[in-house]
Structure formats: C-alpha cells, structure tokens
Amino acid sequence: MTTTQQAYGEDNFGFSTEQVHAGEITGGDFGARITPIYLTAGFVFDSFDHAQQRFAGEDGGLVYTRYANPTNQAVEAKLTALEHGVDSLLVASGQAAITVALLGILKSGDHFLSTPSLYEGSKTLFRENFERFGIEVEFVTDPHDLDEWKRRVRPNTRAIYGETIPNPKNDLIDIDLVAGFAREQGLPFVIDSTASTPYLIRPIEHGANIVVHSASKFLSGHGASLAGVVVDGGNFDWARYPEKFPQFSTPTDGEGSPTLVERFGAKAYLEYTRSIIAGRLGPTLSPLNAFLLQQGLETLSLRVERHCRNSLAVATWLEQQPEVLSVDYPGLASNPSHAIAVKHYPRGTGSVFGFTLRGGLDDARTVIDAVELFSRMSHMGDVRSLILHPGTTSHAHLSETQRLELGIHPGLVRLSIGLEDEADLIDDLERAFAALRRTDALLERAQSVLPTPSAAAPVRTPVAPAPTPQSAF
Ligand SMILES: Cc1ncc(COP(=O)(O)O)c(C=O)c1O
C-alpha cells in the first residue's frame, strides 16, 4: 500500500526530521522506501465518467504531469513543510519560479516595487521581459527607508519583491520591515530565498507571503540539475482586494459558480499559479529532476551548516589579507549588514559572497586563474567551491557606472563556498594570493629597471574586448 507522509508538515518535528520524511511516498507495489520517480506524461482514467470527473477536479486524482505528478507532489509537500507554507509548486528552474510566481499576481498594466539588490537575472527578466508584458518594475534605492517605499506606491502597484541574501554584495534587507510595509499597503510580498534556504530563515514567519527558490542551488546541492519552487504562505487575504486581484474573486465557471478563494481557501493563489499560469505556460519540472532535488533536500541542514561554517572561516581569512579592500560577508562583525544578520540569520548568512581586491581587475584575474580547488563557474550553493568575476561575466552587460553603483568594482570576486575542508579552501586561496604577490613583485622589479619615469607606469595585461555579453547568468 502507498502511504504519503504529510504529517511531518504539521510542525510536530524538527527541521532535520522534516527534511528527511515530510512528503515521502513509501510502499507502493514493491515496498519501495524511497519516493519513486513517476516518469509518466499522463494518468489512466478507469472509464468515460472517471475522465470527466478528473477533469472537473471532483476526485482529486491526477490528469497530466504538466499540472501535477506524484514524485513532484512528494517534493512539493516536503518544501511546504520546510517553509511552513500551505502549498508549493515545482517548476523547471528558479527563473521559471520567479516568472510564474509574479504572473500569478500581476497582469499587463500593473506595477511592482522591488528591493534594489537582486540576482542580475531577475533584474533583466523584470526590466526587459516583464516590460514587454506591460508589467512595470520600479527599484527602490534604499530598502531601509519606509518613506521611499511609500512614495513609490502607485494606484496600480500590485506586489513587493525582494531577496533574502542578495549576492554578491550580501546587502541584507530587513524582512520584517518590508513585510510590515507590504501588509499595511495590502500588497503581497514575494521573496527569493535561494541563498538562505528554509534552514537559515523562513520568510513566511516574518510576514512574507510567497517564497521562491532556485532549487538548482542549495536545495539540491549537487549541482546536477535545475529546479525552481514557489511556496504559498497562505497568509495573504486575496478576497479582501477584489479590484486589485480579480482572478481570485471572480466566479471560475460563470455567474453563480464559486471563486478560487471559495474553492481553495488559503491555497487559492497556488492553485491559480499551478493551473492557470504554470499549467498553461508549461515550465514543468521533470519528475526525474524532482527526484534529484528530493535527494538533496534530505541533507539540507547538514550542508547549509557546513557551508556557513566554511564561509565564515574563509571570510575571516580574506579580511586579514592586505590585498583585500573589503569582504561582503554579513557574518563578519565589520560588515554593514551584521545587525540584520544577527537578527534574521542566527544560524549563518549562507556561502555566496564577494570580496574586493585592491589591485582591481588584474588582481582578480590572477587570483581566479591561480586557484586549483575552486571551480571557475557561474552557479552557487554547490557542494563544490566556485569562483567568478561578476564584472566581466554576470554583470558584464551593465555600464561601468551601473556596476559601480551596485558595488561591483573591477576587483570584486564572487565565491560560493562549498563543503570541502576549510583548511584546503584557505590553502587554495593562499596559493592564489601568493601568485598575486609574485606578480606584484615582478611588476615592481620591472618598473625599477625601466629607464624613464613615464615608462615606469604599471604594465598590466590588456583586457580582451568583451564578446557580446549574455544579459545575465
Ligand atoms: C537568487 C537567485 N534566484 C534565481 C536564480 C535563477 O535560478 P535558475 O538558474 O535555477 O533558473 C538564481 C540563479 O543564479 C539566483 O541566484
């Protein structure tokens, strides 16, 4: 017999127990202990009438994997339990999660406000793609200034968007403050919690309404597949604002039929986003990738704990190096976001952060080319440590002024600290910094033997012209 362990989502177990057991399907025909991969496009109907009932949603059974699949449902239940939400939807990537989460709320003609420091891919999605849908984004300049938030609200504002731990600058927002503002304005607060995971913070408990993740990152951990999730907190009163959000308060099948809120209560938003947005646009997560995500989720707390420990050690070491101008890790007492880190993230502030080298682009190039253990890669939250130069990769499409406004200096290097031994990571960076010192010493020697003062200007490697950059990774 097949059993689904939903009971673990009822807050009666600790995080580690829930990450292992919540949502799991056990039993089946062969007594399988692990939730199986149901690789099937559709589900058989017993009869003509049965098919009709399924389509009418009368028996709660499955119709087609684009709408729901048992493997995906098991993982969705686990994520709902971990985030303390009411329901979840898995999709094919983090970008898909952000897109469907917002399209579940917004339509052409709407406007939404966002915190300024976001994953660059979200910014380009909002500025370029959403703009083409007729949806306008506006970024506040100071997310700590409630007056600015208020000044920017318009009659057509329909949502607030933010991120828990933005990278590479880790300039944390006060989630309580932004959630309080959103509540006061009658606007849903959607937050990307990719870099924090529910192990470090559950944004719904701080008043956020919808949580999205790129589950390709920490939630999976292995870096083998992409996935995204939308979690509904069930804590936004859609029916209270029928003019702003008519999709939830309009009869679904003509006059006299129930509205989504009447049919699904606190899960109305997720049902709409599942059936009408994701179900029609089609960014379905393969059950195979849902299974891979499930395997990662079972060890989430252990991994994130180690990510945070390693990161604090590396950040502390970096801060002591004379070549380093600054380290953007809020776990450090010297960091401007440290007070919020203490308040919101007592278990740590994740493992994706930047540091800036005094020597600019040349120093960044030397360090990135010299590491052997770190992988030069655009990804994060992997068990492996990764290194990237945002200025010439993820943020290359911006002008230099725009990069500087975001704190992306030429010497900024982004790290995603993995689960290797802390001493080995520091040894690798030591090696890279030694290469930096050798390069600087050579330059000084070269300069001292050059004949004229004008020729003694530092000789640096010319920067190759950038190819047409992808808008963001
Ligand atoms: C914070 C954040 N959100 C969303 C995404 C997009 O996720 P995906 O690559 O799974 O589409 C990323 C990707 O790096 C990210 O860093």
Side-chain angles (χ1 to χ4, degrees):
M1 210 195 75
T2 301
T3 336
T4 306
Q5 306 277 13
Q6 301 286 4
Y8 289 92
E10 289 166 8
D11 205 19
N12 42 356
F13 288 95
F15 192 96
S16 299
T17 308
E18 287 190 340
Q19 74 186 359
V20 174
H21 293 292
E24 64 184 353
I25 299 171
T26 58
D29 289 344
F30 305 101
R33 183 62 189 85
I34 308 298
T35 299
I37 307 169
Y38 286 96
L39 268 181
T40 179
F43 304 88
V44 175
F45 311 124
D46 298 338
S47 64
F48 182 96
D49 288 341
H50 189 212
Q52 193 176 14
Q53 285 159 9
R54 279 276 165 96
F55 268 74
E58 283 168 16
D59 75 349
L62 302 177
V63 172
Y64 192 58
T65 284
R66 180 149 39 76
Y67 297 99
N69 171 283
T71 309
N72 295 30
Q73 283 182 324
V75 183
E76 286 166 354
K78 195 185 287 294
L79 285 158
T80 303
L82 294 178
E83 285 289 6
H84 284 186
V86 295
D87 206 356
S88 298
L89 168 67
L90 281 180
V91 285
S93 68
Q95 283 299 89
I98 295 165
T99 304
V100 301
L102 286 170
L103 292 184
I105 302 169
L106 304 169
K107 62 178 184 335
S108 175
D110 288 347
H111 162 263
F112 70 106
L113 288 172
S114 172
T115 56
S117 192
L118 290 189
Y119 167 55
E120 201 47 34
S122 304
K123 283 191 161 179
T124 47
L125 171 73
F126 298 162
R127 280 200 181 120
E128 296 169 20
N129 302 68
F130 275 42
E131 198 219 41
R132 286 169 64 92
F133 298 159
I135 297 169
E136 188 184 353
V137 65
E138 184 176 348
F139 294 97
V140 300
T141 46
D142 179 2
H144 307 291
D145 180 357
L146 276 183
D147 289 335
E148 186 191 347
W149 281 106
K150 279 184 196 145
R151 269 200 314 279
R152 292 189 188 271
V153 173
R154 302 183 195 165
N156 62 337
T157 305
R158 294 290 178 267
I160 306 292
Y161 188 86
E163 267 182 29
T164 52
I165 307 180
N167 87 79
K169 296 303 288 180
N170 281 200
D171 34 0
L172 304 177
I173 57 165
D174 184 329
I175 299 174
D176 296 328
L177 184 90
V178 180
F181 164 74
R183 198 164 41 246
E184 178 196 296
Q185 297 290 328
L187 296 170
F189 179 23
V190 182
I191 191 159
D192 181 336
S193 189
T194 299
S196 42
T197 83
Y199 184 66
L200 297 182
I201 193 165
R202 285 174 164 137
I204 292 165
E205 291 179 347
H206 292 265
N209 306 107
I210 293 144
V211 179
V212 293
H213 288 273
S214 164
S216 329
K217 312 293 190 311
F218 293 96
L219 297 183
S220 291
H222 39 63
S225 57
L226 302 192
V229 65
V230 182
V231 185
D232 186 353
N235 54 350
F236 189 82
D237 190 356
W238 303 100
R240 191 169 159 199
Y241 308 100
E243 290 83 26
K244 285 190 194 174
F245 310 107
Q247 64 270 45
F248 304 110
S249 300
T250 310
T252 45
D253 289 317
E255 198 142 337
S257 67
T259 67
L260 278 179
V261 169
E262 285 162 355
R263 279 183 70 187
F264 300 108
K267 297 183 181 181
Y269 162 81
L270 210 276
E271 278 296 332
Y272 180 78
T273 304
R274 174 187 295 282
S275 314
I276 310 296
I277 305 298
R280 291 184 185 168
L281 295 179
T284 313
L285 182 70
S286 162
L288 188 59
N289 285 4
F291 180 85
L292 292 174
L293 169 57
Q294 165 189 274
Q295 299 308 99
L297 282 170
E298 291 177 350
T299 55
L300 181 65
S301 62
L302 301 174
R303 288 185 288 106
V304 175
E305 214 171 275
R306 175 70 170 262
H307 277 296
C308 290
R309 188 153 30 99
N310 277 357
S311 298
L312 187 58
V314 169
T316 305
W317 181 86
L318 283 168
E319 200 179 29
Q320 291 158 3
Q321 307 312 305
E323 292 83 2
V324 172
L325 196 61
S326 58
V327 182
D328 302 314
Y329 193 65
L332 296 172
S334 57
N335 188 276
S337 287
H338 188 64
I340 299 182
V342 170
K343 177 171 107 153
H344 280 334
Y345 304 96
R347 286 173 162 165
T349 51
S351 74
V352 188
F353 62 95
F355 67 94
T356 301
L357 288 156
R358 289 182 199 282
L361 184 70
D362 296 294
D363 277 11
R365 179 195 298 272
T366 304
V367 166
I368 289 173
D369 279 343
V371 288
E372 290 175 10
L373 191 54
F374 281 79
S375 302
R376 288 168 282 274
M377 237 177 99
S378 163
H379 181 47
M380 61 186 229
D382 199 303
V383 296
R384 286 152 281 268
S385 289
L386 316 174
I387 193 164
L388 190 75
H389 182 251
T392 51
T393 58
S394 54
H395 294 69
H397 60 288
L398 299 176
S399 69
E400 184 150 5
T401 313
Q402 287 170 323
R403 280 197 291 273
L404 293 180
E405 274 167 15
L406 295 172
I408 315 285
H409 292 272
L412 184 105
V413 174
R414 186 188 84 170
L415 300 178
S416 174
I417 299 295
L419 306 184
E420 300 93 339
D421 285 303
E422 156 190 324
D424 292 333
L425 292 172
I426 292 177
D427 277 356
D428 200 33
L429 290 171
E430 290 265 20
R431 183 179 315 121
F433 275 65
L436 197 61
R437 283 160 202 156
R438 273 197 306 278
T439 311
D440 284 347
L442 276 174
L443 276 174
E444 266 168 40
R445 273 230 314 276
Q447 284 164 18
S448 68
V449 296
L450 283 173
T452 60
S454 63
V459 184
R460 294 291 200 178
T461 333
V463 182
T468 309
Q470 304 223 20
S471 55
F473 291 91

